[in-house]
Amino acid sequence: MFPLSSAAPSLSQQAQAYVQGARYLAALNPEQRAGVETLDGPVLVLAGAGTGKTRVLTTRIAHILATGRARAYEILAVTFTNKAAREMRERVEALVGEGVEAIQWLGTFHAISAKILRRHAELVGLKPNFTILDTDDQIRLLKQALKAENIDDKRWPARALAHQIDAWKNRGLSPAQVPAGEAHSFANGKGGVLYALYQERLKILNAVDFGDLLLESLRLFRERPDVLAEFHRRFKYILVDEYQDTNTAQYLWLRLIAQGRRNLCCVGDDDQSVYGWRGAEVENILRFEQDFPGAKIVRLERNYRSTGHILAAASHLIAHNEGRLGKTLFTDGALGDKPTVTGVWDSEEEARAVGEEIEQLQRRGHALEEIAILVRASFQMREFEERFITLGLPYRVIGGPRFYERAEIRDALAYLRCVSSPADDLAFERIVNTPKRGLGDATLQLLHEYARRESVPLTHAARVLTESEEIRPKPRATLRGFIDDIERWRALSETKPHHELAETVLEESGYTDMWREEKTPDAAGRLENLKELVRAMEEFPDLSAFLEHVSLVMEVDEAAGSERVSIMTLHGAKGLEFETVFLPGWEEGLFPHQRSLDDNGRAGLEEERRLAYVGLTRAKRRAKIFFATNRRIHGLWQATMPSRFIDELPAANVEVVESASASQYGAYGVSRFAGLDRYSSGYDTPGWRRAKEAKSQPQGKRAAPPIIEGRVLSKSTASAPFEKGARVMHLKFGPGTVQEVDGDKLSVAFDHAGTKMVKAAFLERG
């Protein structure tokens, strides 16, 4: 152990001898040691997945203390989560022994900013005992601002305004700094005014929200150079974890505070920047050398997690991104099993195939705790949950509730329960004012009083009270309309298929519109989940059978402490690792997600590719990729294309596995991995446009299952084996005649779909 209070700027011979033989350095590889021992000037440690970045960070802190370069309270160490801060503190304590609490400035960006503001609150118009509002308080305050400006909070929800204001704060923008065009984008031009009103109200309440912690700290540093100079003198060394995830406000905050001694060490991985949707800017890490001239770049590429084939596949895939600093993961260990790619008929077969593989692994002694299913979108989880319940495979959903426990699904089920059972008071109470209809607690209390007194269900009480004057006219009319709707839907249930009825109920009730208007990051996912719910209903003969199934599913208990398969989104998997990882849904439109491509173009595609890289590098021993030939998209069965990411995997490191459906259906249809367009030239390629075309074409029946030809990936298709005038057959567009030949690209006049440019790989002679 060594003393935390040592402050000598240069090393004595005794200290040098101690450091030379220090056990904490002996445990590092050469690259890690360079990241620890490079103490002068700015350093960027590019730490690939599984390369030991946390060890470098914590050992660097220990080394600074051991060499006497700084006292514990002269070190600033910034993390992104409280969990990461606790882990860092525990690891440093294991290295330096008692007294680690003296590292006073180790925590998240927000925690450290709050500490700074408490010390200098008056300089930004606050008192030291200011309150940090939670989300609920923030929403209440924004509702007051909307009301003060006579803005309809149904059309312009407070939650959407909170998301917009948070986005501005993430970019370090005060109300006066918001661009005019953006300020006018909310509530017909009143977004900027509402932001200013909200900030004024916060000051009156002596309160801040989480975004203000960074924003007000930034203002403090900019307006009071003397305060900034104080922190320049205090912090001799600054360390930042997960630098690729910083947003603009955090970046500006860090640049200001690091201008003093310039002994800044940022650790991150540009290839794992996957949080652009919440404000993270990958450009922050990409321009580190420009921001801090003379910076040293240390690359950690030696991976201690995954086998050689997995790392080769991941490295080859991510190399297609242009916005990266560049590194290639490798391992000193075995090559191991090749990642597999399997094409299946549809999402149901995908879940069945994954379930069967997990059962086989379990029979061979594989721990369920070491198995994960990583999906791109949360709606994909339902199929796996249903299958695992059928198989009796224990599972858990990480980072969120199980499918039928999600708020939007519970709301939708409550509507359906009201239609199915007039006496279901719990369901009625849940949705009577969801979405908001102006039916508050007072109205509900009257309904309860009457229902108890007369021993009748709430729906009956509502019908009776709407015929009296006990309820005020406006809520009375609203309640009458709602009861009329339920009765009309109940009548429709006699003639309309139950899944179509569900769509009608969710639309006419305004419930889907509520989420369409909710401009928050998770609103689109909630709408996808609702569509998946409707799709799930088709598998049951009627509404009652479906609701009974859901009730039974919800009652399935998870044995306490038992091993379980983990199901989570790819975003939620960052930082985790498992022996075996299943990666379903690698199809165009789903992964990469069409919304990312439409909203952000090339930047969106590159972030999606980074997400694929994250998924692959979670696997220690086995990575298993699946794609379905058919998937239900926006209520329609559609033939899907394998993800472009599959074509970007290296042939030498990936094995293509023929699915059961492929052998079952023989030559009924053909789908190839090889020959997909090379997408590295940009997202607006013929293949990308084909994917969009496929989404826009009405689909009746599911397409034929894939027949996987050969085992070759990432190879260009040979020249087209078709001549002008040849009759050809396309799996989706049907028969046609070749009009022009340009290498492997053909212009084909299809008999029923018009003239289209297609690749030869997707055609057969017809």
Side-chain angles (χ1 to χ4, degrees), residues 116-311:
I116 290 171
L117 286 180
R118 298 277 183 204
R119 295 188 176 202
H120 302 281
E122 290 85 355
L123 299 180
V124 292
L126 294 166
K127 296 176 184 177
N129 64 340
F130 61 79
T131 301
I132 302 174
L133 298 187
D134 61 19
T135 302
D136 288 343
D137 289 335
Q138 184 185 10
I139 297 299
R140 276 201 294 273
L141 205 56
L142 287 171
K143 285 182 177 178
Q144 294 175 15
L146 288 166
K147 187 174 182 180
E149 290 296 306
N150 296 314
I151 294 171
D152 183 2
D153 65 352
K154 293 179 182 176
R155 184 178 179 190
W156 304 100
R159 196 169 296 276
L161 178 57
H163 173 62
Q164 179 61 75
I165 289 175
D166 186 57
W168 285 329
K169 290 183 177 181
N170 284 342
R171 289 161 56 195
L173 301 176
S174 66
Q177 296 170 316
V178 174
E182 292 185 32
H184 283 75
S185 65
F186 188 90
N188 298 323
K190 289 195 172 183
V193 173
L194 290 165
Y195 183 12
L197 281 174
Y198 172 64
Q199 292 301 104
E200 290 171 11
R201 184 65 179 156
L202 283 172
K203 283 297 193 304
I204 293 171
L205 296 175
N206 189 37
V208 297
D209 60 24
F210 275 90
D212 282 325
L213 294 173
L214 268 296
L215 195 66
E216 294 291 5
S217 295
L218 267 177
R219 184 158 74 89
L220 174 67
F221 292 157
R222 285 166 171 164
E223 295 179 359
R224 296 298 300 263
D226 56 325
V227 174
L228 181 58
E230 172 193 331
F231 289 103
H232 286 167
R233 290 189 296 271
R234 171 180 293 274
F235 299 132
K236 293 183 178 180
Y237 288 91
I238 300 172
L239 300 91
V240 182
D241 191 14
E242 302 285 11
Y243 187 58
Q244 79 281 348
D245 291 335
T246 53
N247 60 35
T248 301
Q250 291 160 342
Y251 164 78
L252 295 171
W253 181 94
L254 185 64
R255 282 203 63 184
L256 285 170
I257 212 166
Q259 284 174 356
R261 302 173 189 266
R262 296 185 77 248
N263 290 331
L264 169 69
C265 176
C266 292
V267 179
D269 184 1
D270 51 332
D271 292 332
Q272 294 190 72
S273 180
V274 296
Y275 295 123
W277 50 277
R278 69 182 189 195
E281 295 280 354
V282 69
E283 289 80 9
N284 295 347
I285 194 170
L286 297 180
R287 61 170 176 254
F288 188 88
E289 291 178 280
Q290 300 171 28
D291 292 336
F292 303 99
K296 179 179 174 99
I297 307 296
V298 177
R299 285 176 167 81
L300 302 185
E301 300 171 301
R302 191 187 308 265
N303 180 280
Y304 293 95
R305 175 189 299 156
S306 305
T307 56
H309 280 308
I310 292 172
L311 295 178

Side-chain angles (χ1 to χ4, degrees), residues 389-466:
I389 288 168
T390 301
L391 293 174
L393 263 178
Y395 73 92
R396 62 179 163 211
V397 174
I398 306 284
R402 294 184 296 174
F403 183 81
Y404 290 115
E405 293 172 348
R406 296 176 184 274
E408 66 275 15
I409 300 302
R410 283 184 177 273
D411 289 343
L413 290 172
Y415 272 102
L416 298 175
R417 283 162 53 194
C418 278
V419 172
S420 177
S421 175
D424 195 331
D425 285 357
L426 292 175
F428 178 85
E429 191 171 354
R430 183 180 181 98
I431 49 91
V432 67
N433 201 37
T434 304
K436 299 293 184 185
R437 299 185 175 90
L439 301 174
D441 292 340
T443 302
L444 199 57
Q445 184 177 348
L446 285 172
L447 293 179
H448 274 294
E449 289 174 354
Y450 183 89
R452 282 195 301 270
R453 187 170 63 249
E454 301 296 327
S455 298
V456 295
L458 287 175
T459 51
H460 181 83
R463 174 57 75 193
V464 172
L465 291 177
T466 55

Side-chain angles (χ1 to χ4, degrees), residues 569-580:
T569 64
L570 284 159
H571 284 101
K574 189 169 173 289
L576 302 178
E577 59 182 44
F578 303 89
E579 288 286 323
T580 301

Side-chain angles (χ1 to χ4, degrees), residues 52-65:
K53 73 175 180 64
T54 306
R55 170 177 285 187
V56 170
L57 269 173
T58 53
T59 308
R60 183 180 173 89
I61 294 174
H63 189 60
I64 290 169
L65 296 171

Side-chain angles (χ1 to χ4, degrees), residues 385-614:
E385 292 188 52
E386 300 257 8
R387 184 62 186 166
F388 291 173
I389 288 168
T390 301
L391 293 174
L393 263 178
Y395 73 92
R396 62 179 163 211
V397 174
I398 306 284
R402 294 184 296 174
F403 183 81
Y404 290 115
E405 293 172 348
R406 296 176 184 274
E408 66 275 15
I409 300 302
R410 283 184 177 273
D411 289 343
L413 290 172
Y415 272 102
L416 298 175
R417 283 162 53 194
C418 278
V419 172
S420 177
S421 175
D424 195 331
D425 285 357
L426 292 175
F428 178 85
E429 191 171 354
R430 183 180 181 98
I431 49 91
V432 67
N433 201 37
T434 304
K436 299 293 184 185
R437 299 185 175 90
L439 301 174
D441 292 340
T443 302
L444 199 57
Q445 184 177 348
L446 285 172
L447 293 179
H448 274 294
E449 289 174 354
Y450 183 89
R452 282 195 301 270
R453 187 170 63 249
E454 301 296 327
S455 298
V456 295
L458 287 175
T459 51
H460 181 83
R463 174 57 75 193
V464 172
L465 291 177
T466 55
E467 304 301 328
S468 71
E469 296 185 355
E470 293 185 55
I471 301 175
R472 290 182 292 109
K474 187 175 180 180
R476 184 167 71 241
T478 301
L479 185 59
R480 183 184 300 117
F482 181 60
I483 296 300
D484 288 344
D485 285 341
I486 292 177
E487 292 178 353
R488 186 180 72 259
W489 297 330
R490 193 170 294 139
L492 274 176
S493 68
E494 300 296 326
T495 57
K496 202 178 186 74
H498 56 289
H499 62 278
E500 293 181 14
L501 174 69
E503 291 179 318
T504 300
V505 170
L506 294 174
E507 286 290 341
E508 293 184 356
S509 66
Y511 191 74
T512 48
D513 281 341
M514 179 185 81
W515 289 115
R516 288 190 189 107
E517 293 165 4
E518 184 90 30
K519 307 300 182 185
T520 55
D522 63 343
R526 292 182 188 273
L527 286 169
E528 287 180 339
N529 289 339
L530 292 172
K531 290 169 185 168
E532 178 65 15
L533 175 70
V534 172
R535 192 192 80 74
M537 296 176 68
E538 295 182 19
E539 301 171 12
F540 297 86
D542 53 40
L543 180 57
S544 296
F546 172 70
L547 292 175
E548 180 178 324
H549 166 76
V550 172
S551 298
L552 293 173
V553 167
M554 297 285 279
E555 285 300 315
V556 173
D557 292 326
E558 294 180 359
S562 66
E563 282 197 352
R564 298 189 290 276
V565 175
S566 296
I567 308 176
M568 68 191 82
T569 64
L570 284 159
H571 284 101
K574 189 169 173 289
L576 302 178
E577 59 182 44
F578 303 89
E579 288 286 323
T580 301
V581 169
F582 291 88
L583 300 161
W586 281 43
E587 301 135 31
E588 285 296 305
L590 177 54
F591 192 40
H593 203 289
Q594 193 65 46
R595 189 167 60 246
S596 294
L597 302 182
D598 292 343
D599 292 349
N600 300 302
R602 182 188 294 279
L605 171 60
E606 295 211 343
E607 180 156 322
E608 291 286 297
R609 190 177 283 114
R610 290 194 291 269
L611 202 53
Y613 171 84
V614 166

